[in-house]
Amino acid sequence: MPTLQIAERFNSADNCEKDSGMDDRQKQTDLSEDILINGVSEIADSLAGGDAETPSVADLMANPGGVLAASATNAVVEEVSSSVADEPATEAAVNNEQADGAEADDPESPEDSKKKPKQKKQPGLGPRWSYILTRGIVVASVWAFFTFAFDPILRYSAITAGQQTVQAKVEIATLETSFFPPTISITNVAAANRNKPGTNILEFESMNGDIDGLALMHGSYVLDRAVVNGLTWNTPRDDDGLLPDSPPPEESEGPGFGDQLEKYGKEWANDIFDRAKLEYDPRNLESVRLAQQLEVEWKTDFDGLESRIKNIDDAGRQLKALVDQTKRMNPIQRVEAYRRIANDGSRLLREVSVIRDDLKVLPRKAEGDLGNLDEARKRDQAEIKRKVEELVLDGDKLSEFLLGPTVHHRIRKTLAWLDWGSKQASKFSDTPKPERQRGDDVFFPLDNPLPDYLARLIEVTGQGEIGGDQMAVKGTIVDVSSDPILYGKPTVVRMNGRGEADVQMKAELDRTQDIPANRLDVAYILDEATTSKLGDDDSLAVEVRAGSTRWNVHIETVGDELTGTVLMVQEPVLLIPEMKVDDETLGRLIAASMQKIKRIDATVELSGTIKRPKLKLKTNLGESISNGVKQGFGNEVSAQKDALIAKLNTQVNEKQNGLVDMFRGKYGDIFEQLNLRQSVIQDMLPKLADKGLDPAKLFGKF
Amino acid sequence: MFFLRPIRFFFKALVTDNTPSQMALGFALGVVIGLVPKGNMIAISLMVVLSAIRVNLGMGMLAAFAFSWVGVLLDPFTHRIGQTLLTTDSLVPFWTGFYNQPMAPWTKFNNTIVLGSFVLGMTLLVPIFLIAKPIFQKYTPNWSERLQKFKLVQLLHGTELSSRLN
């Protein structure tokens, strides 16, 4: 029975204690506990059938008492040895091992094993399982942590850190590490673009990196060399990629300089074609308008005088009728009539005199008006000269109009990437340390200080869109550091893209000084024929067929300040203009000048800030077209100018002569009418005097 | 009841090495581990030592857990100890030299509380052992008896056997 066997173990244990010379009471206590805890366990272990030496279930069923007794006895031997081993450590350990060895190496029948406690005074040689088990559990826990928990925790941390950086979703399919040698391997990484929901700002298939073990021992995570495969960017994703607490997309600060450029270009083009129309419409000239105005004014003046003469005529007729009536009047009535006739006649004569005086003023006024007309004509002539000369195209404005939007589009994309890279570099290097920690860290100088995080070399391969072309990219990213000031080296990104075009890019993100600086150089070479359209379909568009295209971009930023140049060369080129211009001459000359252009050179000077860049564009395109138009115009401009002025003079002269003729005719006519009226009235008054009555004398007495 | 087997193994691991000396030393080491902030190589090394030497692991882990809370309360005191040690001019060359050794930064010894609590713990190690040992000598048998009365312990010790026998 098990109970009896346990009792035997007590006896056996007592013997062992005596042998080892331990304190009886303490040993008794220890052994009691050992037996209670381990003895039964050992029996259970034996029954579990895990060891070859332990009896089978069939044995147990055949002779349960014997089997259990044997198992218990073995367990007692082991535990006693184990207990004894505590204090004379070396000796005990040897005993334990021997005991365990004996147990393990000596499969005996239950009857034989019964005798063992008495025979077993010699220590065993086998492993001490209780000790191994205890430490094994600890080792197994550590192993299990690094095998099953470490990588997932690291992956979760990387996703969290990535999401904090890009403020959008970051996915990492797998992350695996190894410690001997220290390496890291990541697969299928995608980072969403919070400013463009539904797209990934970048993604890559895998990254395998070697970690610097020595640096790791000094507390720095240094990626000696990493290889990134399958890098691509601006790829669509299934969801919007925004986090629940993602900030709203960054909005551009008002219209960009490219939009303004496009707007100004269109305004300029419309203006120049409007001006072309203006020159051929003399109705808009001041002198012509003034002549028309004078014609109306003068006519009004003369009509007014004629109207007043007509009034005198009416009054003269009434006076004549009254004179005629006096023949049939009695003398008293006749006296009254004569007095009235004398008054009215005098009044009419004064009115005639006033009209004459008014008429005499008109020549001076007309002279002044004609002088004003002449001045207006001179001004019109000067304006015609100026506008015709200005009609020759402004090369710079034409360049901006034609190439501005295209150049802007490329520069905007380049600046956007530079801005993004700069922000990420700043975020990485400015990562705040956790504020809450127990105690203060005291730092001591290091012989070879390193940043907390550093990637010395990342080799990148992938593919993506550059300048509108899909191309395979290959490059390196060097010295990405969380503390560039300490490390003393800027991050340098070199990329080569190969597709229809070849692209070489070098970006230097320098955070080694207090003020962040960035330098970007891009060379884009496309040795294939391309067709593109410049300008505006509503006014002037140019189809450009180029044999090769080259872009060279150099941009620098220091703090917020932006400087740089962008050079573009296209050659050989064929330019085909498409115009909606009424003026055939201008259109013909522009087309002719474009045919002479075989190469386009454009230079953009950049200034301002990344957010609000300013550009100054100079190209041979505008200048060439302008010069072509100018040369083509040449004599034509002069002839055009003379023709316009002649046309103006003719029109103004016609108007002027018309005015003069009208004035002369009306003036003479009115003058004659006044003389006639005056003589008629004066004639009527002497008739009265012939009849013995002098009205003046007569009425002077009253 | 095969699933009890690993639990029983773990329980066994915790209660082996249960002489008063082993329990007292386990307790003393547990106190040191508890005082030192975790997440650094000093704490991990102490855990390894606790696991590697023949002390009572259960008592050590229990003490470490309990004294982790005590350690937080002692932060102002340990901070002062650590700061004094780290900023003493005569010791700076030693710390600098040590700081430049591999693995040294992972110990976080340059943190005032880590160093202060470690020094305090190590200073208290022997006194705690000497105080704890007679206490364990006196009370361990009683605790053992009481322990056996718990059904969980009985289950762990007897269930598998009884299930086999039945």
Side-chain angles (χ1 to χ4, degrees), chain A residues 29 33 37 40-42 45 47-48 86 128 131 135 216-218 221 438-442 445-447, chain B residues 5 8 12 17-19 22 51-54 75 79 99-100 103 105-106 110-113 141 144 157 161:
Chain A
T29 307
E33 192 175 334
I37 294 170
V40 179
S41 303
E42 290 299 331
D45 280 348
L47 289 173
D86 284 346
R128 189 164 173 275
Y131 181 85
R135 276 72 203 171
L216 192 62
M217 283 198 285
H218 281 96
Y221 299 92
R438 293 170 64 185
D440 296 335
D441 288 339
V442 180
L446 284 165
D447 297 336
Chain B
R5 191 180 176 85
R8 186 162 53 78
K12 185 178 174 183
D17 300 319
N18 53 1
T19 66
Q22 288 168 331
S51 304
I53 64 174
R54 296 194 61 189
D75 273 359
H79 168 72
Y99 196 62
N100 277 280
M103 302 304 289
W106 293 104
N110 60 321
N111 181 279
T112 52
I113 287 181
S144 179
H157 284 174
L161 174 64

Side-chain angles (χ1 to χ4, degrees), chain A residues 2 25-26 29-30 32-34 36-38 40-45 47-50 57 60-61 64 68 78-79 82-83 85-87 92 96 128 130-131 133-135 137-138 214-221 437-448, chain B residues 5 8-13 15-22 35-38 50-55 57 68 71-72 75 79 83 86-87 92 95-96 99-106 109-113 137 140-141 144 147-148 156-158 160-161 164-165:
Chain A
R25 190 179 165 198
Q26 182 181 334
T29 307
D30 293 345
S32 302
E33 192 175 334
D34 269 358
L36 278 170
I37 294 170
N38 297 326
V40 179
S41 303
E42 290 299 331
I43 294 166
D45 280 348
L47 289 173
V57 175
L60 182 68
M61 296 304 289
L68 288 173
E78 184 192 337
E79 295 305 324
S82 169
S83 304
D86 284 346
E87 287 189 4
N96 289 339
R128 189 164 173 275
S130 61
Y131 181 85
L133 185 70
T134 316
R135 276 72 203 171
I137 287 171
V138 174
L214 194 62
L216 192 62
M217 283 198 285
H218 281 96
S220 295
Y221 299 92
Q437 68 164 24
R438 293 170 64 185
D440 296 335
D441 288 339
V442 180
F443 293 99
F444 302 99
L446 284 165
D447 297 336
N448 297 303
Chain B
R5 191 180 176 85
R8 186 162 53 78
F9 282 164
F10 179 71
F11 184 76
K12 185 178 174 183
V15 299
T16 50
D17 300 319
N18 53 1
T19 66
S21 299
Q22 288 168 331
L35 289 177
V36 175
K38 311 303 175 294
L50 178 72
S51 304
I53 64 174
R54 296 194 61 189
V55 295
L57 197 59
S68 291
V72 175
D75 273 359
H79 168 72
Q83 196 169 40
L86 288 168
T87 54
V92 168
W95 298 129
T96 305
Y99 196 62
N100 277 280
Q101 300 308 308
M103 302 304 289
W106 293 104
F109 78 92
N110 60 321
N111 181 279
T112 52
I113 287 181
Q137 272 178 338
T140 300
S144 179
L147 198 66
Q148 296 308 314
L156 287 169
H157 284 174
E160 193 171 356
L161 174 64
R164 285 276 177 173
L165 289 172

Side-chain angles (χ1 to χ4, degrees), chain A residues 92-150:
Chain A
V94 172
N95 292 343
N96 289 339
E97 285 165 7
Q98 287 172 346
D100 289 339
E103 180 190 24
D105 297 334
D106 191 15
E108 292 172 5
S109 66
E111 289 75 14
D112 293 338
S113 62
K114 264 187 189 176
K115 300 168 186 172
K116 256 197 177 160
K118 292 175 184 174
Q119 294 168 355
K120 267 271 185 205
K121 301 295 181 185
Q122 294 175 354
L125 294 173
R128 189 164 173 275
W129 293 109
S130 61
Y131 181 85
I132 290 170
L133 185 70
T134 316
R135 276 72 203 171
I137 287 171
V138 174
V139 171
S141 302
V142 173
W143 173 83
F145 172 76
F146 282 104
T147 303
F148 301 112
F150 181 72

Side-chain angles (χ1 to χ4, degrees), chain A residues 398-470:
Chain A
L398 185 59
S399 297
E400 286 177 3
F401 169 66
L402 291 174
L403 275 172
T406 306
V407 168
H408 157 254
H409 181 66
R410 300 235 172 189
I411 292 173
R412 188 171 60 179
K413 275 198 166 182
T414 308
L415 288 179
W417 276 103
L418 182 65
D419 188 34
W420 183 81
S422 175
K423 277 181 182 168
Q424 302 315 310
S426 296
K427 274 183 187 171
F428 187 56
S429 56
D430 297 340
T431 304
K433 306 255 180 194
E435 288 179 8
R436 290 189 62 189
Q437 68 164 24
R438 293 170 64 185
D440 296 335
D441 288 339
V442 180
F443 293 99
F444 302 99
L446 284 165
D447 297 336
N448 297 303
L450 285 170
D452 289 345
Y453 300 93
L454 171 67
R456 289 199 175 103
L457 171 65
I458 303 172
E459 294 173 4
V460 175
T461 57
Q463 63 173 14
E465 184 200 317
I466 299 177
D469 302 328
Q470 277 292 330

